Amino acid sequence: EPEVTQTPSHQVTQMGQEVILRCVPISNHLYFYWYRQILGQKVEFLVSFYNNEISEKSEIFDDQFSVERPDGSNFTLKIRSTKLEDSAMYFCASSESGVNSPLHFGNGTRLTVT
Amino acid sequence: GQQLNQSPQSMFIQEGEDVSMNCTSSSIFNTWLWYKQDPGEGPVLLIALYKAGELTSNGRLTAQFGITRKDSFLNISASIPSDVGIYFCAGPRPNFGNEKLTFGTGTRLTIIP
């Protein structure tokens, strides 16, 4: 069964550094998402992306965050200057036709900011 | 913002027992989703509910969309060890064009040997 793949599985970075988290969504899906989950807490929406642009973003998704679909298969999340509180699991998801179709999640990237 | 509250927060049961958990909201949802998250993995969709009053089964799992559209429950019958994990309810906010999925606070299921 097709799946969403994320790399790396674990990223450790120093505060202030830039990180790029990578995702390969399911190939025929058109909607892409990033969610995050701080340890022990619920999953939180960051951003949705459709037709090569952001369709919605949360208040968490401030100017230090950006997303890109550089080549038609990858979907990336960049954090420009990481803060300690950015430490979390970051999940990529994709769906065929938005939130009214099933979202398929990747296994996440654990980001640790030291 | 909208909050989905799940209860109980955690459950400790013996293998073979039935499980019941629920999810409530102060606002109406038009879709209710139930996800399971295993340790170190992403959420996996278990059941999707699209109509008030709908009762849907997926193997040993049964979920219902409350008629008020403000709640949903998930039942698991005859629990087995692989049922261990965190169960989240989720739903999109009922506004046109909205792409945000709101997740509940989660119910952690542990099976006692």
Side-chain angles (χ1 to χ4, degrees):
Chain A
E1 187 178 317
E3 57 182 27
V4 175
T5 56
Q6 290 187 242
T7 54
S9 56
H10 193 185
Q11 172 93 48
V12 182
T13 190
Q14 288 192 326
M15 199 166 52
Q17 296 294 305
E18 175 183 285
V19 294
I20 298 177
L21 310 183
R22 301 180 193 279
C23 170
V24 179
I26 294 173
S27 61
N28 64 331
H29 285 186
L30 301 177
Y31 292 77
F32 314 114
Y33 308 86
W34 284 100
Y35 283 76
R36 80 168 186 193
Q37 185 179 34
I38 294 170
L39 187 65
Q41 297 186 24
K42 65 179 181 178
V43 179
E44 299 175 290
F45 171 81
L46 290 178
V47 66
S48 60
F49 191 88
Y50 170 71
N51 203 23
N52 281 320
E53 60 183 22
I54 290 173
S55 49
E56 186 169 357
K57 58 184 181 180
S58 72
E59 57 275 7
I60 302 167
F61 195 88
D62 61 23
D63 291 345
Q64 68 162 342
F65 290 91
S66 62
V67 289
E68 200 178 26
R69 187 152 162 83
D71 57 14
S73 64
N74 290 285
F75 179 52
T76 62
L77 174 69
K78 182 193 289 188
I79 309 176
R80 255 180 280 284
S81 176
T82 51
K83 304 192 285 272
L84 292 176
E85 55 265 37
D86 293 328
S87 295
M89 284 289 286
Y90 287 81
F91 293 106
C92 174
S94 69
S95 74
E96 279 188 16
S97 54
V99 289
N100 291 313
S101 58
L103 261 66
H104 295 259
F105 285 82
N107 281 335
T109 293
R110 178 173 297 285
L111 177 65
T112 302
V113 182
T114 62
Chain B
Q2 290 186 330
Q3 182 100 330
L4 291 177
N5 295 307
Q6 290 185 243
S7 64
Q9 280 188 338
S10 57
M11 305 183 74
F12 296 85
I13 61 164
Q14 292 193 316
E15 185 177 348
E17 282 187 42
D18 295 342
V19 170
S20 185
M21 61 188 78
N22 73 346
C23 181
T24 59
S25 170
S26 56
S27 306
I28 287 171
F29 277 74
N30 292 326
T31 299
W32 286 92
L33 308 169
W34 283 94
Y35 281 86
K36 179 176 181 255
Q37 185 178 27
D38 290 331
E41 297 186 16
V44 174
L45 182 66
L46 299 174
I47 290 181
L49 302 160
Y50 298 106
K51 211 162 88 168
E54 181 181 352
L55 184 74
T56 296
S57 293
N58 178 9
R60 294 177 297 106
L61 276 59
T62 302
Q64 184 155 31
F65 191 145
I67 54 171
T68 65
R69 294 197 280 157
K70 291 184 178 181
D71 62 348
S72 176
F73 71 72
L74 175 70
N75 288 343
I76 306 172
S77 63
S79 57
I80 60 177
S82 61
D83 291 333
V84 164
I86 304 176
Y87 292 80
F88 291 101
C89 60
R93 290 184 308 185
N95 294 317
F96 176 76
N98 177 270
E99 284 300 320
K100 171 183 173 177
L101 207 59
T102 299
F103 278 78
T105 48
T107 292
R108 181 183 296 273
L109 180 64
T110 303
I111 293 186
I112 307 166

